[in-house]
């Protein structure tokens, strides 16, 4: 990455009818805002016409020199970017602000200061427009992001959510009805990529850089552990991997070929465990659909492993569009739209926000499904 800003509108006019999430009511156009970490994303999603426009700015170039995200810098940059990006996303959608029916923003989990920016702007916009607003769970956005792909899954499905902060297997029955099947006991998969990349002298974020270096690698020179691969549970543990990588790096690797070989082995160790546990979760659930989401779902080797597994074992694997694997506004607009639609259909539509709060720590499995209110 590293480019100052990027914008994409892949699948822009995708229709949600095929996903089982289409509305029977009036279409709703939702402006979604993502500012939980180091990307500022804004998008417009329509429950009838799909993704209408989006704009994204990655802060990677700004944080790169510090080797990781600096929270205060992240918040200040979100403040600078969010309104111009909102104008850009609206411009692409061909809509004016007055034509937006509702606003959604990432309420958590994430960096508190960064979340405050998107939540403050989102709630204020909704209030000023006199439209409903909703705080969205960032991971629910990732979980539902494959619904923005050309081939979208029907619910129920099993989901592997692998990002910089989370590695979870979930049974997804309907919007908000998520059952935790497995979790990481320590580091997340993305964190294992990032920490190993740092030990290999690569920049931040480490996952894409390590994967790129590994393309030139050859298997066999190194052998790293596959933590909990043969354990019966659906849990993960990646913290031992970085210790093994540190030992392998030792006082320095002989040459660039050795660095590439080790990068390939790190990628293989992480993706072998992720793929094996995901397949085990699908088999145990009896469900035939597997969704992979979160930043690590962009990983080439993970995609290859799962493509092979689905051919051999007869289940279907679904990924978000590649540009929507990492953080973006489209997944927040989508998740917000689906929740708002479900609330309206259940007879308790969301109101105009009179304030906002953020939830930097917010377990996904604590989310409630939208149900009809008694009476
Ligand atoms: O979902 P995400 O953008 O942000 C969080 O919510 O954490 O995920 C970022 C994580 C980082 O750890 C990054 O290194 C990893 O996803 N990542 C990758 C790849 N692209 C992003 N890991 C492996 N291979 C990739 N191609
Ligand atoms: Zn994320």
């Amino acid at each position: 990455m590293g480019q100052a800003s990027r914008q994409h509108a892949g699948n822009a006019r995708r229709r949600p009818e095929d996903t089982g999430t289409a509305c029977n009511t009036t279409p709703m156009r939702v402006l979604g805002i993502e500012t939980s970490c180091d990307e500022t994303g804004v998008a417009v999603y329509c429950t009838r016409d799909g993704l209408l426009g989006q704009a994204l700015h990655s802060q990677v170039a700004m944080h790169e020199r510090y080797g990781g995200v600096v929270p205060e810098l992240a918040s200040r940059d979100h403040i600078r970017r969010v309104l111009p990006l909102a104008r850009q996303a609206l411009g692409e959608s061909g809509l004016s602000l007055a034509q937006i029916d509702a606003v959604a923003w990432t309420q958590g989990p994430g960096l508190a200061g960064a979340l405050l920016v998107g939540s403050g702007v989102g709630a204020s916009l909704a209030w000023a427009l006199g439209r409903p607003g909703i705080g969205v769970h960032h991971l629910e956005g990732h979980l539902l992001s494959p619904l923005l792909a050309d081939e979208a899954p029907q619910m129920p499905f099993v989901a592997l959510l692998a990002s910089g902060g989370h590695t979870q297997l979930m049974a997804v029955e309907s919007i908000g009805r998520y059952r935790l099947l497995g979790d990481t006991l320590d580091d997340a998969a993305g964190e294992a990529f990032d920490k190993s990349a740092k030990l290999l002298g690569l920049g931040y974020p480490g996952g894409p850089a390590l994967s790129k270096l590994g393309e030139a690698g050859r298997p066999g020179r190194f052998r790293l552990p596959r933590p909990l691969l043969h354990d019966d549970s659906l849990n993960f543990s990646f913290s031992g991997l970085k210790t093994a990588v540190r030992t392998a790096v030792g006082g320095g690797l002989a040459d660039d070929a050795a660095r590439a070989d080790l990068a390939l082995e790190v990628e293989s160790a992480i993706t072998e465990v992720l793929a094996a546990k995901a397949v085990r979760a699908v088999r145990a659930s009896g469900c035939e659909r597997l969704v992979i989401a979160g930043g690590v779902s962009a990983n080439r080797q993970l995609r290859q492993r799962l493509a092979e597994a689905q051919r051999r074992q007869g289940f279907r694997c679904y990924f978000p569009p590649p540009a929507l694997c990492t953080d973006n506004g489209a997944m927040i607009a989508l998740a917000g739209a689906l929740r708002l639609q479900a609330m309206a259909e259940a007879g308790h539509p969301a109101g105009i926000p009179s304030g906002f709060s953020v939830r930097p720590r917010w377990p996904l499995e604590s989310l409630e499904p939208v149900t009809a209110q008694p009476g």
Side-chain angles (χ1 to χ4, degrees):
M1 292 203 285
Q3 72 267 49
S5 96
R6 56 198 148 91
Q7 194 185 354
H8 29 243
N11 309 297
R13 298 296 189 277
R14 233 194 74 64
R15 297 173 71 84
E17 281 86 337
D18 327 325
T19 68
T21 54
C23 61
N24 304 318
T25 49
T26 322
M28 193 191 296
R29 288 162 299 200
V30 179
L31 182 81
I33 304 175
E34 156 63 31
T35 64
S36 68
C37 188
D38 59 349
E39 332 253 18
T40 320
V42 186
V44 180
Y45 178 83
C46 172
T47 52
R48 186 190 60 202
D49 301 327
L51 187 58
L52 299 181
Q54 66 158 326
L56 185 73
H57 174 80
S58 165
Q59 301 178 354
V60 162
M62 185 179 76
H63 296 296
E64 214 164 21
R65 78 185 76 156
Y66 305 101
V69 178
V70 183
E72 180 61 18
L73 293 182
S75 315
R76 287 170 189 233
D77 202 60
H78 287 309
I79 293 172
R80 273 194 292 273
R81 308 277 177 189
V82 66
L83 290 179
L85 288 170
R87 276 187 211 106
Q88 203 178 320
L90 278 166
E92 192 181 300
S93 71
L95 299 176
S96 69
L97 203 47
Q99 290 172 298
I100 291 298
D101 300 308
V103 184
W105 58 86
T106 305
Q107 189 180 6
L111 301 170
L115 290 167
L116 279 168
V117 178
S119 302
V121 169
S124 309
L125 265 180
W127 182 82
L129 292 168
R131 303 278 149 73
I134 189 166
V136 169
H137 195 293
H138 178 80
L139 295 177
E140 184 169 53
H142 276 303
L143 205 62
L144 300 177
S145 61
L147 299 181
L148 292 163
D150 286 334
E151 284 188 59
Q154 293 276 344
M155 292 182 198
F157 53 73
V158 168
L160 169 66
L161 204 57
S163 69
H166 294 84
T167 308
Q168 296 185 322
L169 279 161
M170 314 279 311
V172 174
E173 280 143 32
S174 57
I175 303 289
R177 210 178 285 276
Y178 310 133
R179 194 159 40 84
L180 186 66
L181 303 173
D183 204 346
T184 182
L185 306 177
D186 39 58
D187 289 356
E191 205 175 348
F193 269 111
D194 294 341
K195 288 179 175 171
S196 302
K198 210 168 194 172
L199 290 166
L200 278 161
L202 297 168
Y204 154 87
L210 185 141
S211 179
K212 179 110 194 54
L213 178 62
E215 281 173 23
R218 283 193 300 193
R221 189 191 310 225
F222 298 97
R223 181 69 192 169
L224 295 170
R226 270 59 173 160
L228 301 189
L229 180 61
H230 300 296
D231 154 281
D232 279 342
S233 81
L234 294 171
N235 292 329
F236 304 89
S237 166
F238 290 110
S239 67
L241 201 60
K242 74 173 178 286
T243 315
V245 174
R246 188 175 291 123
T247 308
V249 170
L253 292 166
D255 49 29
D256 282 352
R259 286 177 74 234
D261 292 348
L262 184 53
L264 177 65
E265 176 60 10
V266 170
E267 188 179 26
S268 303
I270 297 171
T271 60
E272 190 179 332
V273 176
L274 289 177
K277 295 261 170 171
V279 171
R280 199 176 298 162
V282 172
R283 280 213 226 98
S285 72
C287 183
E288 285 159 12
R289 289 176 291 270
L290 173 66
V291 156
I292 320 290
V296 179
S297 68
N299 184 268
R300 183 184 44 93
Q301 204 190 105
L302 180 64
R303 286 179 176 238
Q304 278 164 3
R305 285 183 190 278
L306 288 165
E308 278 162 33
Q310 77 170 346
R311 260 196 309 277
R312 280 197 313 269
Q313 312 206 18
F315 61 88
R316 278 291 306 276
C317 211
Y318 298 86
F319 292 90
L324 300 180
C325 287
T326 46
D327 295 348
N328 62 82
M331 67 184 194
I332 301 304
L334 167 78
L338 296 183
R339 274 204 171 255
L340 288 166
Q341 187 181 300
M343 288 166 77
E345 282 168 8
H348 51 101
I352 301 167
S354 55
F356 67 92
S357 62
V358 296
R359 302 185 69 176
R361 290 178 186 278
W362 187 7
L364 179 62
E365 58 281 12
S366 72
L367 286 187
E368 299 279 335
V370 178
T371 48
Q373 274 183 343

